[in-house]
């Protein structure tokens, strides 16, 4: 069984952090999202994955080299001037996938705890052309919404319906199984949306089915969602005894601290603080509800609450980084700076004065 991972998006809602990395490489509890995806596929006995990406994303993935867990990895590249949408990259992978058996497709920018075996079994039993993993959400209007009939057949599929117009709260979880015949529904070399142009047609032809999943499903499309995802998974890992609580005097559980981290005196890390590799934290620092990427230096007397700090950033003495702040890679925050809530700084910028209005510095 093979899988196609759609990872060619530009993660505009996660800028400025996504200016220097694709969303699929954002760390979740200090592991890139793509590593979690590879692990989930390998655990379900999927042997080969095709990464449908743009050239820049391919470069970043090859540079970072996340563990593959035995998966054989191949790439297809979107043409730079003609993005292929969500269906075009699937068509682009047709020669690699072949026509012998169904295959899995998943979005490379969501965290989904999916039992792929059960999803595949449902697809085979119903003789479907496409089977979508479905989950329930409070606000379905941001997603593709499925209306079921006769058990798990999808009567109607609507991509991002208007507010109040969603027929159900069952949404496309971004994972589906497709039979090779679906290639006939996708034009070659052209932009095509599987959600808007393929799934509605299959629903009308009674060839589209759904499979309910109750595993953890998280969209990390916005900074606040990204932080929340880390917090929820951190809780889950500790509850499942997959991440041992740290009992150091300078931490308040739950926390996750990677290799090479140095923590100064009278510093308190946590709760819900995630520190990447080789982070250096000074004395009398408080970090909570935040994700700190690798190689960050945090000087003395700093407070970071509800923020994301990008790789290689330097936070000067007595700085205060407030809720919703997003500090991109290689940024330098000078001493005695107070950044208001929801403030963002683009890569490699230097902030030398306190800013109390929401803003983006690029």
């Amino acid at each position: 069984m093979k899988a196609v991972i759609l990872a060619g998006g530009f993660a505009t809602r996660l800028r400025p952090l996504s200016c220097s990395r694709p969303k699929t490489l954002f760390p979740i509890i200090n592991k890139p999202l793509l590593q979690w995806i590879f692990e989930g596929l390998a655990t379900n006995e999927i042997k080969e994955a095709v990464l449908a990406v743009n050239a820049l994303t391919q470069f970043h993935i090859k540079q970072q080299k996340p563990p593959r867990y035995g998966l054989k990895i191949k790439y297809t590249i979107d043409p730079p001037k003609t993005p292929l949408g969500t269906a075009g990259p699937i068509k682009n992978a047709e020669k690699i996938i072949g026509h012998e058996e169904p295959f899995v497709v998943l979005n490379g920018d969501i965290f989904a705890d999916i039992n792929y075996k059960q999803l595949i079994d449902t697809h085979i039993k119903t003789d479907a052309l496409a089977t979508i993993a479905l989950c329930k959400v409070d606000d379905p209007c941001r997603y593709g919404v499925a209306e079921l009939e006769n058990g798990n057949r999808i009567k109607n599929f609507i991509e991002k319906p208007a507010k109040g117009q969603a027929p159900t709260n069952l949404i496309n979880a971004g994972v589906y199984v497709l039979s090779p015949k679906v290639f006939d529904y996708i034009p070659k070399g052209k932009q095509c949306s599987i959600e808007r142009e393929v799934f509605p047609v299959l629903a009308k032809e009674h060839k589209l089915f759904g499979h309910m999943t109750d595993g953890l499903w998280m969209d990390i499309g916005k900074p606040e969602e990204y932080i929340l995802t880390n917090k929820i998974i951190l809780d889950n890992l500790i509850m499942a005894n997959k991440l041992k609580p740290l009992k150091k005097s300078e931490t308040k559980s739950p926390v996750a601290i990677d290799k090479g981290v140095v923590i100064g005196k009278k510093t308190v890390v946590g709760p819900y603080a995630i520190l990447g590799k080789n982070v250096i934290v000074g004395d009398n620092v408080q970090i909570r509800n935040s994700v700190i990427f690798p190689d960050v230096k945090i000087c003395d007397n700093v407070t970071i609450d509800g923020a994301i700090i990008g790789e290689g950033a330097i936070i000067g003495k007595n700085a205060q980084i407030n809720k919703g702040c997003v500090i991109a890679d290689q940024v330098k925050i000078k001493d005695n700076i107070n950044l208001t809530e929801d403030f963002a700084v683009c890569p490699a910028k230097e902030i030398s004065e306190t800013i109390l209005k929401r803003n983006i510095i690029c």
Side-chain angles (χ1 to χ4, degrees), residues 110-237:
I110 58 168
F111 187 97
D113 182 13
I114 300 288
N115 188 317
Y116 297 100
K117 293 179 183 178
Q118 291 180 0
L119 178 62
I120 293 165
D121 287 345
T122 296
H123 179 82
I124 293 172
K125 288 177 182 177
T126 57
D127 196 28
L129 203 58
T131 303
I132 305 174
L134 303 175
C135 64
K136 293 182 179 180
V137 297
D138 293 331
D139 180 13
C141 296
R142 290 173 52 191
Y143 309 100
V145 179
E147 184 179 5
L148 300 180
E149 66 175 1
N150 297 332
N152 60 348
R153 191 169 69 193
I154 296 177
K155 172 185 177 182
N156 196 15
F157 186 87
I158 306 169
E159 180 66 12
K160 296 180 181 177
K163 197 75 173 177
Q165 299 299 311
T168 72
N169 66 341
L170 297 177
I171 67 156
N172 171 14
V175 180
Y176 24 94
V177 178
L178 304 178
S179 292
K181 289 182 181 179
V182 81
F183 290 127
D184 297 337
Y185 291 77
I186 306 172
K188 184 177 182 180
K190 296 182 179 180
Q191 187 176 43
C192 180
S193 166
I194 196 164
E195 299 90 353
R196 298 183 186 276
E197 299 175 61
V198 179
F199 286 161
V201 172
L202 295 180
K204 289 180 181 179
E205 296 179 1
H206 307 297
K207 297 175 181 177
L208 184 65
F209 287 75
H211 172 84
M212 289 300 304
T213 178
D214 55 4
L216 180 63
W217 183 90
M218 299 293 296
D219 184 353
I220 67 165
K222 298 179 181 179
E224 61 269 25
E225 293 172 334
Y226 172 66
I227 290 178
L228 178 61
T229 298
N230 275 275
K231 292 172 71 173
I232 290 175
I233 296 172
L234 184 56
D235 275 336
N236 288 354
L237 289 174

Side-chain angles (χ1 to χ4, degrees), residues 236-278:
N236 288 354
L237 289 174
I238 290 177
M239 289 176 63
N241 293 317
K242 293 181 179 180
L243 187 68
K244 294 182 179 180
L246 295 174
K247 296 181 180 180
K248 296 181 179 181
S249 59
E250 65 268 23
T251 64
K252 287 186 177 180
S253 186
V255 297
I257 297 178
D258 212 336
K259 297 176 182 178
V261 172
V262 176
I263 299 176
K265 299 176 182 178
K266 297 183 180 179
T267 284
V268 179
V269 176
Y272 296 106
I274 297 158
L275 275 56
K277 287 182 180 179
N278 304 321

Side-chain angles (χ1 to χ4, degrees), residues 11 35 43 82 87 114 125 132 138 180 214 255 299 302 316 319 335 359:
Q35 183 177 340
T43 300
T82 311
I114 300 288
K125 288 177 182 177
I132 305 174
D138 293 331
D214 55 4
V255 297
C299 298
V302 169
D335 296 348
N359 202 354

Side-chain angles (χ1 to χ4, degrees), residues 336-347:
N336 305 306
I337 300 299
N338 182 358
L339 297 185
T340 190
E341 292 186 2
D342 301 322
F343 189 83
V345 185
C346 288

Side-chain angles (χ1 to χ4, degrees), residues 299-317:
C299 298
D300 298 343
N301 305 308
V302 169
T303 299
I304 300 174
D305 188 1
I308 308 170
I309 310 297
E311 188 170 349
I314 299 174
I315 311 299
K317 295 179 181 179

